[in-house]
Amino acid sequence: MTTYYRDNRLHITSTEIRVDGRRFALAELTYVWHGRGVPDPRLVSRRTGRVLLLLAGAVLAIGCAVKTPALLRMETGIPSLTARILLTAAGSFALVAVGWPLVELVLVGMDHVHLHGVAMHEIRAHWRGEEVLLLRTPDSLLFGRVYRALERALEQQSD
């Protein structure tokens, strides 16, 4: 018996697939397909929060770009241009120092959303005349590994 995939929830071998303690013999699976399920509202709300953080970072960058020429033209009581430039540079540095962790958080969140997404990937099958859900996950990497392992097991079963 060959193992094609194994983790704490799934175990795919050359004869069966075990999902959360349930066993399905590969010989009894008449049709296997994949698709997208309804997104989990919690994941959608997290993604919305990340988009809002991204917008906050964009506002920060635009604010930094807009404030520099405005501060240089302003009558602030500071007579020398050098002092105004130093004040503007210090303000920009402070804005970036405060805003950079926010931007970094947004970029990390975007990486996470790209890898794990909010779309639910599902693998379903016909087993003993009924439709069964074998896997439901937002993790596209996990979905790909499991589906490829199941395909290899089913191909080996049909040979």
Side-chain angles (χ1 to χ4, degrees), residues 33-38 120-124 133 135-136 143:
W33 72 96
H34 65 88
R36 289 190 179 238
V38 177
M120 284 295 177
H121 303 282
E122 296 180 344
I123 301 175
R124 295 181 175 268
L133 177 65
L135 176 70
R136 185 173 201 264
F143 170 78

Side-chain angles (χ1 to χ4, degrees), residues 16-45:
E16 69 181 4
I17 177 171
R18 280 182 269 176
V19 182
D20 295 328
R22 292 183 65 191
R23 293 172 173 245
F24 304 98
L26 293 182
E28 295 176 345
L29 297 178
T30 55
Y31 185 65
V32 177
W33 72 96
H34 65 88
R36 289 190 179 238
V38 177
D40 186 352
R42 292 174 301 195
L43 295 173
V44 172
S45 67

Side-chain angles (χ1 to χ4, degrees), residues 55-56 68 104 137 149 153:
L55 288 174
T68 302
E104 185 66 27
T137 181

Side-chain angles (χ1 to χ4, degrees), residues 24-86:
F24 304 98
L26 293 182
E28 295 176 345
L29 297 178
T30 55
Y31 185 65
V32 177
W33 72 96
H34 65 88
R36 289 190 179 238
V38 177
D40 186 352
R42 292 174 301 195
L43 295 173
V44 172
S45 67
R46 274 190 238 147
R47 185 175 192 178
T48 304
R50 289 187 182 113
V51 168
L52 291 175
L53 285 176
L54 180 61
L55 288 174
V59 167
L60 179 72
I62 291 169
C64 193
V66 167
K67 102 178 162 45
T68 302
L71 282 177
L72 288 176
R73 286 190 307 253
M74 235 170 88
E75 291 297 326
T76 59
I78 301 173
S80 81
L81 182 62
T82 307
R84 283 191 203 176
I85 290 173
L86 288 174

